[in-house]
Structure formats: C-alpha cells, structure tokens
Amino acid sequence: MTVTYDIHGTGDAGAPTVLLSSGLGGAAAYWRAQIAGLVEAGYRVLAYDQRGTGRSAGALPADYAIAHMAADVIEILDDSHTARCHVVGHALGGLVGLQLALDAPARVASLALVNAWARLSPHTARCFAARLALLHAAGARAYVEAQPLFLYPAAWSAANAALVQDEVDHAFAHFPGTETMLARIGALKAFDVHARLGEIAVPVWVSAARDDLLVPWTSSQELSLGLARATLELAPTGAHAHNVTSPAAFNRGLLAFLAGAASLAPTTTEHAA
C-alpha cells in the first residue's frame, strides 16, 4: 500500500462506505469531529493519511498531481474491497474527490466538497504565495504558526488557544519537509477541472463558510453552478475548517445529504453555525 488508512465502524465491505479525504495537512485525524457521527449513523468509514504525510510519509513523484492522489484513493478502495463509496473531501481533499469522480466514476456514489474549488481563485493563489514566502524566508516553524490564521475564525482561535497551540506544535513535529509541501501545494495550484464539471453525474453537496479567509465561498458557488446535481450549503461562520469549528451544524448537513437529501438542481441554503 502507498498510504496508511483506517476503517471505522463495521468491517463489512458491502456496507455504505464514506471515504474522508483531508486538506493540505493530509491527516486522517482531521476528521475526528465527523467519524463518530458517521459510524453511529451506520456508515463504514475510511480515513487515511495522504501520501507524503503522517503515517504515509515518503517521497513524492517529481510530477506530483491531484491525479496521483486520486489513484491512491483507488488503491485504498481496492485494498479494502470497497466497490463504491461516498467521498467527503476538505479543500485539497475535495479536489481529490473531483478527480476521482472523473477518473473512476463507477467508484463514487456521491461527493461532499468542503471549501473546495474547480480552479484556484486569484485570492487563494495570493494566500498560498504568502504562505510559501513565509516557509522559504522563515522556515517550517513560522509556516505552521501561521496556519491557524487561514483555518479558524479569530474568536474561535482565541477561545481555544491551548488546543490551537497543541495543533501547531503537532504540525511542526510532523512537518513533512519543504520539498513535500512544495509538491503538494504545486499540485493543488495546478488543478483545474472547471471545463469538465459537467461530466460529473453523481449527487454533490458543496459546503462552504462565508468567512473562509483562504478560499472564498464564491469558489464553492462556482462549483455548484457547474455541477449537474449539486446543492450549495453556506455557513455564516466557521472559516476554512468549519467542520472543526462548527461540527454540529456541519454534521447535520452532511448526514442529511448522505441520507439522500441532495437535490438535482443547484440551490443555496443558509444554516446557523
């Protein structure tokens, strides 16, 4: 296996399965606020550390792309004897889901895309340029210290200062290395499937937070308008990691979608965080 993954809930490969794909950090643990609720709802859950991160540490190909990440997911599905799954992806993980739906549509039952995009917005490109400049000029410690600024609302970070610092310290202790980080950021910057969204026929739940500093909610709006069977749900607050900062509202929306609540035509709803 290229990557390390965990199975939560039933081990029955025929059970409805949800695969969780994280963002740039790549860690399965990112989804800890969702896993228990999904298992309680009866889902078999696959969560994995992406190639080059965490337990899946290792060198990346020189031409590393989102397509490589989608191929890793296919390897997980094959190894776990999973014929088809619901893919839930956050940011970069959402790109992996989109690529998988294009490359292996028979393996994808639905997509839940969280603060993701079909093509990088100029604003997001500016954010990543600033983060890369910080990495190059000041090193990994400064890079991870700045990370919560892009993930969480300021008030939430202030109220959870110890938790945030623990996350920063953990991220620094497990930093994958500058070369790997550059390759992963390069892959997400190069990703562009805007012209191919019409090829994706599965139901899609597009979830975004209006106060996301890193990825404008309008990127999710663009996604929903380009997909044939998408529902756009907007949280007023919660920022880029709103599944972490507002888990109750997020989990309600996700479970409703997985139960079959996604509509055929793009719509927009608002929920309280």
Side-chain angles (χ1 to χ4, degrees):
M1 282 293 296
T2 302
V3 300
T4 298
Y5 69 94
D6 305 305
I7 300 177
H8 302 272
T10 176
D12 179 6
T17 299
V18 176
L19 179 130
L20 302 173
S21 187
S22 303
L24 186 58
Y30 174 77
W31 299 103
R32 56 187 173 270
Q34 280 69 57
I35 290 173
L38 287 166
V39 170
E40 184 178 347
Y43 293 100
R44 173 176 177 259
V45 179
L46 303 177
Y48 69 108
D49 289 352
Q50 293 173 8
R51 195 192 318 195
T53 73
R55 299 166 297 167
S56 304
L60 302 178
D63 59 344
Y64 195 54
I66 300 297
H68 290 105
M69 303 183 199
D72 290 342
V73 171
I74 293 174
E75 186 178 357
I76 293 170
L77 298 181
D78 290 344
D79 188 72
S80 63
H81 307 290
T82 306
R84 201 162 181 246
C85 68
H86 303 278
V87 179
V88 181
H90 174 254
L92 179 146
L95 315 189
V96 175
L98 287 165
Q99 189 70 56
L100 183 67
L102 291 169
D103 292 348
R107 310 302 295 270
V108 179
S110 72
L111 290 173
L113 307 175
V114 186
N115 289 325
W117 59 89
R119 56 185 174 185
L120 201 69
S121 80
H123 172 80
T124 304
R126 182 183 296 276
C127 289
F128 276 112
R131 295 176 74 179
L132 288 172
L134 190 61
L135 177 61
H136 287 305
R141 185 79 214 191
Y143 176 89
V144 298
E145 287 285 355
Q147 187 164 286
L149 303 178
F150 296 96
L151 287 177
Y152 306 131
W156 189 92
S157 285
N160 295 274
L163 173 64
V164 170
Q165 191 59 53
D166 285 346
E167 288 186 355
V168 167
D169 293 341
H170 183 272
F172 179 64
H174 296 86
F175 189 72
T178 297
E179 184 176 349
T180 293
M181 188 60 70
L182 292 177
R184 286 173 60 75
I185 293 175
L188 69 81
K189 288 174 64 179
F191 182 79
D192 185 348
V193 295
H194 177 73
R196 300 187 63 192
L197 291 178
E199 300 174 33
I200 297 175
V202 298
V204 184
W205 183 58
V206 183
S207 177
R210 286 189 177 274
D211 63 345
D212 186 346
L213 174 64
L214 181 61
V215 181
W217 68 267
T218 49
S219 291
S220 290
Q221 181 183 56
E222 182 181 63
L223 261 179
S224 70
L225 292 174
L227 292 160
R229 301 176 64 189
T231 298
L232 172 63
E233 185 165 351
L234 297 175
T237 62
H240 189 59
H242 69 280
N243 62 300
V244 174
T245 60
S246 302
F250 177 88
N251 291 351
R252 282 195 302 270
L254 176 61
L255 289 172
F257 167 71
L258 292 173
S263 61
L264 293 176
T267 61
T268 301
T269 62
E270 301 273 356
H271 65 67

